[in-house]
Amino acid sequence: MVEVTVTPQSSLADRPVQIRVRGLSPSQLVTLRAWLKDEQGECFQSRAFFRADGAGEVDPGLHAALGGSYSGVWPMGLFWFLQPDTLFRRLVKRDVAGSPFRVRLEVFDGLCLDTDPREQPLASCEAERWYVGPGVQRVPIREGRVRGALFLPP
């Protein structure tokens, strides 16, 4: 049974996570896809093609992506190379304290080039990427023409 995991499942957006796929056949070619919808409902996604090792595992921190949104060894590549489905959109988090970005990770058999895959993934999981740590207080700043926010630790 194929399984994809993200460790830790919930983390701050600037912290690294480990992505692992287990249960594949040795040397199986797979597509690992990450996607999310921003606060406006715009879809952002990335994908990378991998060949499983002799134990039937894929670890983007150890194994080189053969192509897709990037190539080579990039442990956080699926998060760093997220691209919008609609041109000229930017991934921006407006409500930094209220909710995380929920990034869906999916594993597909073979090379999956479609932006909206028709086939079911072999496995999937979800990672939460928070922009403000627990207990951090956000204080709006308005002084003359200056606008901003001060984030105070607990």
Side-chain angles (χ1 to χ4, degrees), residues 74-129:
W74 293 79
M76 295 294 294
L78 289 166
F79 293 92
W80 292 342
F81 291 97
L82 287 166
Q83 294 293 315
D85 285 353
T86 306
L87 293 176
F88 308 114
R89 299 284 185 167
R90 290 185 343 168
L91 185 58
V92 176
K93 183 72 171 138
R94 302 233 185 262
D95 179 18
V96 294
S99 64
F101 272 140
R102 298 185 195 293
V103 182
R104 189 92 181 144
L105 294 162
E106 299 172 328
V107 181
F108 294 92
D109 187 29
L111 297 179
C112 180
L113 301 173
D114 292 339
T115 56
D116 186 22
R118 306 273 184 256
E119 65 183 81
Q120 287 291 100
L122 299 173
S124 64
C125 71
E126 190 172 83
E128 291 182 349
R129 304 294 282 171

Side-chain angles (χ1 to χ4, degrees), residues 8 12 15 20-21 23 25 34 51 66 69 71 75 93 114 125 144 146 149 152:
L12 291 172
R15 305 283 185 203
R20 304 249 346 232
V21 181
S25 301
R51 186 167 301 281
L66 306 174
S69 300
S71 60
K93 183 72 171 138
D114 292 339
C125 71
V146 175
L152 298 170

Side-chain angles (χ1 to χ4, degrees), residues 46-63:
S46 63
R47 72 188 68 244
F49 312 127
F50 292 93
R51 186 167 301 281
D53 64 13
E57 296 184 0
V58 169
D59 181 347
L62 299 174
H63 304 120

